[in-house]
Amino acid sequence: MQQKSKLFLQALKYSIPHLGKCMQKQHLNHCNFADHYYNRIKLKKYHLTKCLQSKPTISELARNIPTRSFSSKDFLPIKQENEKSLSENMDAFEKVRTKLETQPQEEYEIINAEVKHGGFVYYQEGCCLVRSKDEEDNDNYEVLFNLEELKLDQPFIDCIRVAPDEKYVAAKIRTEDSEASTCIVVKLSDQPVMEASFPNVSSFEWVKDEEEEDVLFYTFQRNLRCHDVYRATFGDNKRNERFYTEKDPSYFVFLYLTKDSRFLTINIMNKTTSEVWLIDGLSPWDPPVLIQKRIHGVLYYVEHRDDELYILTNVGEPTEFKLMRTAADTPAIMNWDLFFTMKRNTKVVDLDMFKDHCVLFLKHSNLLYVNVIGLADDSVRSLKLPPWACGFIMDTNSDPKNCPFQLCSPIRPPKYYTYKFAEGKLFEETGHEDPITKTSRVLRLEAKSKDGKSVPMTIFHKTDSEDLQKKPLLVHVYGAYGMDLKMNFRPERRVLVDDGWILAYCHVRGGGELGLQWHADGRLTKKLNGLADLEACIKTLHGQGFSQPSLTTLTAFSAGGVLVGALCNSNPELLRAVTLEAPFLDVLNTMMDTTLPLTLEELEEWGNPSSDEKHKNYIKRYCPYQNIKPQHYPSIHITAYENDERVPLKGIVNYTEKLKEAITEHAKDTGEGYQAPNVVLDIQPGGNHVIEDSHKKITAQIKFLYEELGLDSTSIFENLKKYLKF
């Protein structure tokens, strides 16, 4: 059985097109292009130079392309220094960054997309697709395809699928500066050869037909919209035909192969509604079977085991996810039987199916749990995971006896755990204990919003920090698409905590941390709830002795920019500085422009201001661009990407120019002695949405924050040399 590179809901979540406004696309159905590798991080003693010899890092790519920066500091453009003066006047930041880029480092190894099938492991080595018999023997491999043949700039493998009988392997290839992808099909033989290539492929899966012929199903993406499903065969009976086209532009299509490979599912969905068709994995040329016709507001996802479908759905009351099941030959909704319900305020992160067990990965009251359901006796074992853990990383797995996964936090690298079904116990990876467990604290607090809602927060700071009111604070927020605030391990966040910063993650309404209703309470004409939550969180932090406004900074990316921009307009006195990446700042004009690729898909999140006056007037109340006014603002650093199709650059530039005009007007009215905030727009070349691991971006943002708060940056950049490994 072919191994999946991601499990059930994770496979859906990481493959569905999303609006960069939405970045990291969710109702358990949005995507994170920043995690395009499906990386996992191992604690290993490897030199960084060895780990990265095979492929340039994102940071290397960022260093090798020019950047355009604009600033309104003192309302004058930044003058570019020549190369000689730069080298002569490098500060501590520049010196350390130079070391970062030239010295080999240790500790963290990045493992790219790979898949196990039969006795082989398929992965990328250098600029080649390769396979080896031994997972740990990286020096003994067979080259299957050289990516340089595609004539792409710095290509990497995003996803791999192997045909059932191992006659073919398919791989999706991308570049760092574009979301466009190419799927190649390689025939496996004594001399592997590329059999075919398909442009703009989103998801793809193999099945085998009655004639033992391999059939590749794939979805075609055009202008960020994924509406067409194709199927193709190779060899002597070569064909390629369109199999399905979705007519409703607000929906998108994604393929998922059940873990037992029995059914290929065609998932048709938008932000609130889904419809699933089954293709028989034994008879892929037969017409597909509809499970349940789409019903507005009903989401469902399907797995299979022993002739039964297990359906995760929000149908019925309460409208949160619950697990139901039905016979595979009677899939309609009237036959679904309730099997397992979640507690209120529970987020279903993922589901994994085994021979005799179903494992649910959950977030409840801002803590992580694993529920192991025995399918033979319907028993349930609920395991509360360590309180430091903030996120799951699902591991590829075909062993029916074990369920492996990793736990991580923003300041702690992933750690392996394995649940062994026979013992009924969870086993923790042994070995070196990360010192961060003793040198830092993680707190889970709540803020009361204006309407009395309790808003969860996750806070990190050094254990030995004294007088936290005088420490700098970096607040994180997102609050859109039912998507959790990203809390994966980031070395630069760890460095900040080591240097005395407080990190606060505000899980406001509009996100998904407390389930589907938490999202519903922060979308459409309830968007202002998210803004009220963010304001309450920051005021609560200050009230409980965590920093003060003059030392408070705020960061967000993509759709998180809506709440940040709105807060800068409504309560700028709470903040000193802000960093934004590919931020969505002009909601009204974007949602009224139906020619943009994903506007129609986003109507369920933001509303339809073109046809609904209520939606239009409501968006005007919070839209960052619409509400800029002459007043004092915090300093703002914006990173944008020149050809970003998800958040158009035009909206960001217009926002920046309007903000500078408002600051200028306020400065004239205030008179002499007024210190204007610094507004920096850093436009990066390329068409990607967010480049998460860019050294250049990370160090520029940190330098900006330290300068704005007047902090000594010497130690922070020395620590970056130690921790920032990729």
Side-chain angles (χ1 to χ4, degrees):
M1 180 174 66
Q2 180 177 329
Q3 186 93 13
K4 302 290 191 303
S5 67
K6 275 284 172 183
L7 307 178
F8 191 40
L9 298 180
Q10 289 293 105
L12 292 172
K13 183 176 73 173
Y14 281 95
S15 303
I16 292 168
H18 69 289
L19 188 53
K21 321 169 216 179
C22 87
M23 185 56 191
Q24 302 209 162
K25 306 167 290 190
Q26 176 147 353
H27 257 359
L28 302 172
N29 68 342
H30 295 75
C31 154
N32 177 353
F33 285 94
D35 287 341
H36 46 244
Y37 287 132
Y38 305 151
N39 287 344
R40 60 183 192 273
I41 306 168
K42 282 185 178 178
L43 283 174
K44 276 192 174 183
K45 285 293 180 180
Y46 275 97
H47 285 293
L48 183 66
T49 49
K50 177 179 178 181
C51 296
L52 300 183
Q53 280 172 351
S54 61
K55 168 188 180 301
T57 64
I58 300 177
S59 58
E60 287 174 328
L61 294 175
R63 284 202 307 271
N64 292 329
I65 54 181
T67 303
R68 296 187 305 177
S69 293
F70 302 95
S71 173
S72 67
K73 195 163 192 174
D74 300 326
F75 309 111
L76 292 173
I78 295 177
K79 294 181 180 179
Q80 298 295 324
E81 300 178 89
N82 60 44
E83 196 171 310
K84 182 177 179 180
S85 62
L86 275 174
S87 62
E88 290 175 347
N89 298 304
M90 283 198 296
D91 56 15
F93 157 74
E94 297 293 351
K95 291 178 181 178
V96 173
R97 188 173 71 173
T98 300
K99 292 180 182 179
L100 270 170
E101 296 170 351
T102 58
Q103 292 184 354
Q105 305 293 343
E106 293 185 335
E107 286 190 33
Y108 303 119
E109 177 193 16
I110 290 187
I111 300 175
N112 295 338
E114 66 175 36
V115 63
K116 301 173 188 175
H117 186 95
F120 290 95
V121 181
Y122 295 78
Y123 57 97
Q124 180 175 345
E125 181 69 29
C127 58
C128 297
L129 170 64
V130 304
R131 68 175 177 179
S132 64
K133 289 187 176 181
D134 185 350
E135 182 179 6
E136 298 298 327
D137 186 3
N138 293 330
D139 296 325
N140 185 18
Y141 54 79
E142 175 189 7
V143 175
L144 304 177
F145 180 73
N146 188 334
L147 272 58
E148 292 181 346
E149 293 183 26
L150 298 176
K151 308 298 183 184
L152 299 174
D153 183 25
Q154 306 287 6
F156 67 86
I157 297 175
D158 185 61
C159 187
I160 300 170
R161 294 286 187 265
V162 185
D165 60 1
E166 222 157 349
K167 291 181 181 178
Y168 299 96
V169 59
K172 186 167 72 171
I173 317 293
R174 284 187 52 212
T175 63
E176 299 296 354
D177 63 353
S178 173
E179 292 188 25
S181 61
T182 298
C183 179
I184 62 165
V185 177
V186 176
K187 184 177 182 180
L188 300 174
S189 59
D190 292 338
Q191 293 185 333
V193 60
M194 186 174 75
E195 184 85 3
S197 67
F198 306 107
N200 302 315
V201 170
S202 178
S203 57
F204 57 104
E205 298 286 357
W206 290 100
V207 295
K208 183 188 290 187
D209 68 12
E210 304 91 325
E211 305 297 327
E212 299 294 305
E213 185 175 37
D214 294 312
V215 184
L216 180 70
F217 285 80
Y218 65 92
T219 55
F220 178 77
Q221 182 170 295
R222 181 188 295 110
N223 296 326
L224 301 180
R225 296 173 178 172
C226 197
H227 294 153
D228 297 318
V229 182
Y230 286 77
R231 56 187 174 191
T233 56
F234 310 95
D236 295 335
N237 187 26
K238 187 175 294 186
R239 72 180 101 171
N240 183 33
E241 61 187 24
R242 187 164 59 180
F243 174 70
Y244 174 85
T245 296
E246 172 56 37
K247 301 297 184 182
D248 190 329
S250 70
Y251 284 75
F252 50 85
V253 184
F254 175 70
L255 302 176
Y256 172 73
L257 187 66
T258 59
K259 192 175 180 183
D260 61 4
S261 299
R262 183 63 181 82
F263 290 102
L264 176 66
T265 64
I266 302 176
N267 300 272
I268 306 160
M269 59 190 70
N270 62 19
K271 301 298 182 292
T272 61
T273 305
S274 61
E275 176 179 290
V276 181
W277 294 74
L278 292 181
I279 295 176
D280 191 330
L282 303 177
S283 304
W285 301 104
D286 290 350
V289 175
L290 174 64
I291 293 183
Q292 174 57 48
K293 185 178 180 180
R294 64 194 74 171
I295 302 172
H296 181 72
V298 173
L299 291 162
Y300 69 99
Y301 310 94
V302 179
E303 254 293 4
H304 176 265
R305 168 193 171 270
D306 286 352
D307 296 326
E308 286 189 313
L309 301 178
Y310 287 79
I311 302 168
L312 192 67
T313 178
N314 67 334
V315 69
E317 294 294 335
T319 54
E320 297 290 348
F321 277 115
K322 50 195 74 72
L323 191 60
M324 309 184 88
R325 64 181 171 187
T326 184
D329 57 358
T330 56
I333 194 169
M334 70 281 295
N335 300 310
W336 297 1
D337 293 325
L338 184 63
F339 178 57
F340 183 79
T341 57
M342 318 297 167
K343 295 179 181 178
R344 286 187 178 273
N345 297 329
T346 296
K347 167 69 176 283
V348 181
V349 178
D350 206 348
L351 176 152
D352 199 2
M353 188 66 68
F354 296 83
K355 182 178 182 295
D356 298 314
H357 298 86
C358 174
V359 180
L360 290 167
F361 299 87
L362 308 172
K363 181 180 290 187
H364 175 68
S365 297
N366 208 19
L367 293 170
L368 301 186
Y369 291 80
V370 168
N371 279 10
V372 182
I373 305 173
L375 299 178
D377 57 6
D378 292 352
S379 62
V380 179
R381 183 184 177 99
S382 183
L383 303 171
K384 185 177 181 179
L385 298 174
W388 63 264
C390 300
F392 292 102
I393 300 177
M394 304 305 148
D395 211 49
T396 57
N397 177 49
S398 58
D399 183 356
K401 299 179 180 179
N402 301 313
C403 177
F405 57 91
Q406 298 176 70
L407 298 177
C408 64
S409 87
I411 64 172
R412 180 168 176 168
K415 186 171 186 177
Y416 278 94
Y417 289 79
T418 301
Y419 185 85
K420 297 189 176 182
F421 298 115
E423 291 90 336
K425 294 180 180 179
L426 183 66
F427 291 84
E428 179 181 356
E429 174 191 31
T430 58
H432 172 70
E433 185 66 26
D434 196 306
I436 198 71
T437 58
K438 295 181 178 180
T439 61
S440 69
R441 292 183 65 193
V442 55
L443 304 173
R444 286 177 170 83
L445 304 179
E446 289 184 342
K448 286 289 185 182
S449 196
K450 291 179 180 179
D451 59 0
K453 277 286 186 180
S454 296
V455 184
M457 297 183 288
T458 309
I459 300 163
F460 303 89
H461 67 82
K462 285 183 72 173
T463 305
D464 59 359
S465 288
E466 297 179 357
D467 200 357
L468 290 172
Q469 193 172 20
K470 296 182 179 179
K471 299 296 183 181
L473 168 66
L474 179 59
V475 178
H476 300 70
V477 72
Y478 187 75
Y481 301 95
M483 187 190 99
D484 291 8
L485 183 58
K486 283 197 68 181
M487 300 191 71
N488 58 316
F489 173 62
R490 299 301 313 161
E492 67 273 17
R493 300 301 184 233
R494 176 165 176 159
V495 170
L496 289 173
V497 170
D498 286 340
D499 204 42
W501 282 67
I502 305 165
L503 304 184
Y505 291 76
C506 302
H507 309 293
V508 304
R509 280 174 284 185
E513 288 86 349
L514 299 184
L516 296 179
Q517 190 60 46
W518 197 247
H519 171 226
D521 288 343
R523 68 182 183 93
L524 296 176
T525 55
K526 295 183 179 180
K527 270 292 173 187
L528 285 169
N529 284 341
L531 177 59
D533 292 352
L534 177 58
E535 179 183 334
C537 286
I538 296 176
K539 288 181 176 179
T540 298
L541 289 167
H542 293 162
Q544 295 193 16
F546 294 99
S547 195
Q548 54 188 287
S550 62
L551 293 173
T552 297
T553 63
L554 181 57
T555 186
F557 68 91
S558 196
V562 173
L563 296 184
V564 173
L567 186 69
C568 289
N569 288 329
S570 64
N571 290 90
E573 70 280 357
L574 294 176
L575 306 168
R576 176 65 184 86
V578 168
T579 64
L580 296 170
E581 183 173 8
F584 186 31
L585 297 166
D586 191 358
V587 182
L588 184 61
N589 288 322
T590 300
M591 294 308 298
M592 292 187 71
D593 186 354
T594 57
T595 64
L596 294 174
L598 296 178
T599 294
L600 294 177
E601 286 187 15
E602 301 306 308
L603 298 179
E604 295 282 354
E605 180 70 21
W606 309 100
N608 190 346
S610 295
S611 61
D612 191 318
E613 197 67 21
K614 180 182 177 182
H615 287 171
K616 183 176 182 179
N617 291 332
Y618 191 85
I619 291 173
K620 284 182 177 180
R621 292 171 60 188
Y622 68 81
C623 175
Y625 176 76
Q626 297 293 327
N627 291 281
I628 293 173
K629 55 192 173 186
Q631 65 175 10
H632 181 74
Y633 279 88
S635 293
I636 300 178
H637 183 287
I638 300 175
T639 304
Y641 299 92
E642 198 164 32
N643 299 313
D644 189 340
E645 293 181 87
R646 299 182 179 277
V647 176
L649 180 61
K650 178 182 177 182
I652 298 176
V653 172
N654 289 343
Y655 171 87
T656 305
E657 292 302 316
K658 187 175 180 180
L659 181 63
K660 288 163 62 177
E661 291 173 2
I663 291 172
T664 303
E665 184 176 346
H666 178 67
K668 291 178 180 177
D669 295 339
T670 305
E672 294 183 7
Y674 173 68
Q675 185 174 355
N678 187 23
V679 179
V680 177
L681 175 58
D682 181 5
I683 302 176
Q684 296 279 346
N688 214 330
H689 180 54
V690 172
I691 302 180
E692 188 172 26
D693 293 323
S694 166
H695 280 186
K696 188 171 187 179
K697 178 202 71 179
I698 291 168
T699 50
Q701 290 175 347
I702 291 178
K703 183 180 181 183
F704 174 81
L705 293 178
Y706 270 74
E707 288 179 346
E708 291 301 324
L709 270 60
L711 302 176
D712 181 5
S713 63
T714 304
S715 61
I716 184 73
F717 294 117
E718 285 295 336
N719 284 334
L720 272 176
K721 180 177 67 174
K722 179 180 178 182
Y723 290 121
L724 193 56
K725 301 302 177 184
F726 6 116

